[in-house]
Amino acid sequence: FTGSSPGITLANGLQIPLNVDDYFLLLIDFPNLLITPQLGTLDGTGQATATFNVPPGTPAILVGVTFQHAFVLLNPKNFVSNVVDLTLVP
């Protein structure tokens, strides 16, 4: 929510291009609340799908707000994706 720079560095040295903010902590504290599945595995072709869910009653003030997302692959090789922007629309 607050951008991708400077980002955070994990203990294993991976650099995640997301800043720790309230949105980041919400996703950590409540897995599968907004993104399902939030944790998972890749299929035999190295792909996976996740869905962003906007809960009923989400404040209209969030329309037009852009959130940054990235994924982390931990096994068999550590990898972090590029940032992808997601903008809420009506």
Side-chain angles (χ1 to χ4, degrees):
F1 188 72
T2 57
S4 59
S5 181
I8 57 174
T9 303
L10 299 180
N12 63 4
L14 281 179
Q15 178 70 25
I16 299 176
L18 298 172
N19 293 325
V20 176
D21 55 23
D22 289 341
Y23 179 65
F24 185 96
L25 295 174
L26 176 73
L27 294 177
I28 297 297
D29 290 342
F30 299 98
N32 297 315
L33 175 69
L34 298 176
I35 300 172
T36 53
Q38 191 164 318
L39 299 172
T41 58
L42 301 177
D43 66 17
T45 64
Q47 297 186 14
T49 300
T51 303
F52 185 84
N53 306 295
V54 179
T58 298
I61 195 167
L62 293 177
V63 171
V65 171
T66 299
F67 300 84
Q68 289 77 35
H69 290 230
F71 70 85
V72 177
L73 178 64
L74 295 176
N75 190 12
K77 180 182 176 185
N78 295 335
F79 173 82
V80 178
S81 73
N82 292 326
V83 171
V84 174
D85 290 340
L86 178 120
T87 303
L88 294 182
V89 295

